[in-house]
Amino acid sequence: MKLRSTALVKGFRQSAPYVNAHSGKTVVIMLGGEAIADPNFANIVNDIALLNSLGLQIVVVYGARPQISHLLASQGYTTPYHKGIRVTDARALELVKQAAGQLQLDITARFSMGLNNTPMAGAQINVISGNFIIAQPLGIDDGIDYYHTGRIRRIDIDGIQRQLSQNSIVLLGPVASSVTGECFNLTSEEVATQLAIRLKADKLIGFCSEQGVIDLDGEVASEMLPNEAETALQRLIEAQEDDCGTARFLRGAVSACRAGVPRSHLISYKEDGALIQELFSLDGIGTQIVMASAEKIRGAGIDDIGGILDLIYPLEQEGILVRRSREQLEQEIEQFTIIERDGLIIACAALYPFPDEKIAEMACVAVHPDFRDGDRGVILLNRLRQQAKEQRLKHIFVLTTRSVHWFLEQGFIESDVDQLPMAKKALYNFQRRSKILVLAV
């Protein structure tokens, strides 16, 4: 008899909304040379292949900084840096091209594997590289000639999009040609950032040695706004860590975010499956740089009914909430306030006013189990209190059988049936014996 894995089934079901949400979206993945050199790189390639099979349009930008430095050292040659950018003279350029070219071949070979028991099994992945980027020299800065170090002049966005539309993975590196036929050494973070901006990508994804951005308490910051990311970057600069993978990513993520890229994700290249966990789990695993908070509180609409039903159904099964039909929800949807995260409804509550008696009922309060350690219930309560004030109501009441202590903590006071509005008093279920609690608005 085969053993059934409920964890597998639960995980698959939870990831389904994210599969639908990400399908057809454009993602730019920035792979630094450190990530490529890590033993976990093979798993990262497998996960990128899996994303490709799920319909994501993927551009991979690889860096080669440690590989270039190693090759230069093996030749007994050093190159200076100016403002964190390598000065690439003619001799260094030849070694840069050698290192970058080798990585391009190695990465392409990885995507060509077809081993069983991996996401690559039976996959037909086309990896396309080409002259999509035209470079120009950085020139001279503070009297320092950068020689063959360059920056982006233009990008063939239409050409890249044609390849993406055919489900190919576009692979681009740190070396690009100019209109004069010369080669220039670019930074992979500039390439990835400008691609994300000009492609109007939905996500920019980067890798570092940690799980994400580490805050002052030593914890991974799950979400940051651009100004918060800039503060974190400044801390790294002050600690003389401005050349680490986290700092390079933060520079690009802030620029991308302010230019309209909705999400930038930073995850660990050492953690097997970090890419999948970040994109296909409720709370992710790394750090998101976002234009606005991933969570939004708003009034519900007719398109939210399915999500609300999914949220409240388990509580109805346990007898915590009174069952509501889809038809009832359709009629009452304007009474609902929801908290939405990445397109998923993770919390809801409804406010039913009784204007003549200056009171309203707070009902159908539900928070997704994975998000109950936050303050979503308090956020909903505060929003509903504000709504009650705007309607010139004086009190809010709740009927509850399981959450009495939580409501008491929020300032509710136990009451009795006589305090209910007349219409609600007539419907009170004495068999259910719900506690009645009242809060002054």
Side-chain angles (χ1 to χ4, degrees), residues 370-378 406:
D370 290 345
F371 293 92
R372 287 177 186 164
D373 57 349
D375 294 322
R376 278 88 178 181
V378 176
W406 185 86

Side-chain angles (χ1 to χ4, degrees), residues 19 21-29 48-60 157-158 160-171 195-196 199-205 279:
V19 173
H22 290 132
S23 181
K25 298 299 175 64
T26 301
V27 177
V28 176
I29 299 176
I48 294 173
L50 178 58
L51 297 183
N52 176 257
S53 71
L54 293 173
L56 279 75
Q57 297 185 339
I58 300 171
V59 178
V60 176
I157 295 300
D158 290 341
I160 293 173
Q161 288 177 332
R162 281 195 296 272
Q163 300 302 326
L164 295 177
S165 68
Q166 296 175 21
N167 203 35
S168 298
I169 292 177
V170 175
L171 176 65
L195 278 166
L199 282 168
K200 295 180 172 57
D202 299 280
K203 293 181 183 295
L204 171 65
I205 300 174
L279 297 185

Side-chain angles (χ1 to χ4, degrees), residues 71-93:
L71 188 56
L72 287 167
S74 71
Q75 299 293 314
Y77 197 68
T78 59
T79 56
Y81 280 80
H82 181 60
K83 295 183 177 179
I85 300 173
R86 190 192 302 274
V87 175
T88 312
D89 61 19
R91 183 178 177 190
L93 178 64

Side-chain angles (χ1 to χ4, degrees), residues 296-301 304 307-308 311-312 329 332-340 344-352 361-367 376-388 390-391 396:
K296 299 176 183 177
I297 182 168
R298 60 175 177 83
D304 300 313
I308 294 173
L311 182 64
I312 66 178
L329 267 178
E332 301 175 352
I333 193 63
E334 292 183 358
Q335 314 298 338
F336 276 79
T337 297
I338 63 171
I339 298 178
E340 181 184 44
L344 295 176
I345 296 173
I346 63 169
C348 72
L351 188 72
Y352 298 95
E361 179 184 10
M362 181 179 181
C364 201
V365 182
V367 179
R376 278 88 178 181
V378 176
I379 292 171
L380 286 169
L381 173 59
N382 289 338
R383 176 60 67 93
L384 266 56
R385 287 184 78 173
Q386 183 61 36
Q387 291 176 11
E390 292 171 358
Q391 297 177 46
I396 292 176

Side-chain angles (χ1 to χ4, degrees), residues 267-431:
I267 52 179
S268 172
Y269 57 73
K270 296 179 178 293
E271 181 77 15
D272 184 15
L275 182 58
I276 301 302
Q277 289 185 69
E278 177 67 10
L279 297 185
F280 296 97
S281 65
L282 284 169
D283 219 13
I285 192 174
T287 298
Q288 284 191 84
I289 314 297
V290 298
M291 290 190 293
S293 175
E295 292 188 13
K296 299 176 183 177
I297 182 168
R298 60 175 177 83
I302 200 73
D303 293 335
D304 300 313
I305 288 176
I308 294 173
L309 286 171
D310 289 342
L311 182 64
I312 66 178
Y313 178 75
L315 299 177
E316 292 175 345
Q317 292 294 101
E318 294 179 42
I320 298 173
L321 293 180
V322 176
R323 184 181 179 277
R324 282 171 170 78
S325 66
R326 177 177 285 271
E327 291 75 17
Q328 183 180 354
L329 267 178
E330 288 177 357
Q331 295 172 4
E332 301 175 352
I333 193 63
E334 292 183 358
Q335 314 298 338
F336 276 79
T337 297
I338 63 171
I339 298 178
E340 181 184 44
R341 183 181 180 90
D342 291 337
L344 295 176
I345 296 173
I346 63 169
C348 72
L351 188 72
Y352 298 95
F354 297 86
D356 292 342
E357 290 147 294
K358 302 296 184 183
I359 196 169
E361 179 184 10
M362 181 179 181
C364 201
V365 182
V367 179
H368 191 283
D370 290 345
F371 293 92
R372 287 177 186 164
D373 57 349
D375 294 322
R376 278 88 178 181
V378 176
I379 292 171
L380 286 169
L381 173 59
N382 289 338
R383 176 60 67 93
L384 266 56
R385 287 184 78 173
Q386 183 61 36
Q387 291 176 11
K389 285 181 181 179
E390 292 171 358
Q391 297 177 46
R392 301 182 184 277
L393 306 179
K394 294 182 178 180
H395 293 90
I396 292 176
F397 73 90
V398 294
L399 303 177
T400 182
T401 57
R402 304 279 187 92
S403 304
V404 176
H405 283 193
W406 185 86
F407 285 107
L408 291 174
E409 288 173 4
Q410 310 313 316
F412 282 78
I413 298 172
E414 283 199 56
S415 187
D416 55 39
V417 176
D418 291 335
Q419 298 300 312
L420 295 177
M422 292 299 296
K424 193 69 180 180
K425 191 184 302 184
L427 297 173
Y428 181 76
N429 187 336
F430 285 92
Q431 289 185 328

Side-chain angles (χ1 to χ4, degrees), residues 81-223:
Y81 280 80
H82 181 60
K83 295 183 177 179
I85 300 173
R86 190 192 302 274
V87 175
T88 312
D89 61 19
R91 183 178 177 190
L93 178 64
E94 294 308 308
L95 298 175
V96 167
K97 291 193 291 185
Q98 182 179 333
Q102 182 66 51
L103 284 182
Q104 178 184 329
L105 293 171
D106 289 345
I107 295 170
T108 302
R110 285 278 187 185
F111 279 112
S112 300
M113 291 172 60
L115 296 178
N116 289 329
N117 302 318
T118 75
M120 308 293 290
Q124 295 291 327
I125 297 176
N126 291 322
V127 177
I128 306 297
S129 299
N131 59 340
F132 297 109
I133 293 177
I134 299 298
Q136 63 185 25
L138 268 180
I140 300 172
D141 182 32
D142 295 334
I144 304 297
D145 192 339
Y146 281 105
Y147 298 107
H148 291 279
T149 299
R151 58 188 175 91
I152 293 173
R153 180 174 181 179
R154 65 173 181 264
I155 302 175
D156 181 7
I157 295 300
D158 290 341
I160 293 173
Q161 288 177 332
R162 281 195 296 272
Q163 300 302 326
L164 295 177
S165 68
Q166 296 175 21
N167 203 35
S168 298
I169 292 177
V170 175
L171 176 65
L172 299 172
V175 178
S177 303
S178 70
V179 293
T180 60
E182 299 173 274
C183 289
F184 287 91
N185 181 22
L186 312 178
T187 64
S188 59
E189 52 266 34
E190 185 206 2
V191 175
T193 302
Q194 290 303 312
L195 278 166
I197 292 170
R198 300 186 198 189
L199 282 168
K200 295 180 172 57
D202 299 280
K203 293 181 183 295
L204 171 65
I205 300 174
F207 291 84
C208 66
S209 58
E210 305 287 347
Q211 284 285 27
V213 179
I214 307 301
D215 62 22
L216 293 173
D217 297 322
E219 302 292 332
V220 176
S222 60
E223 181 179 288

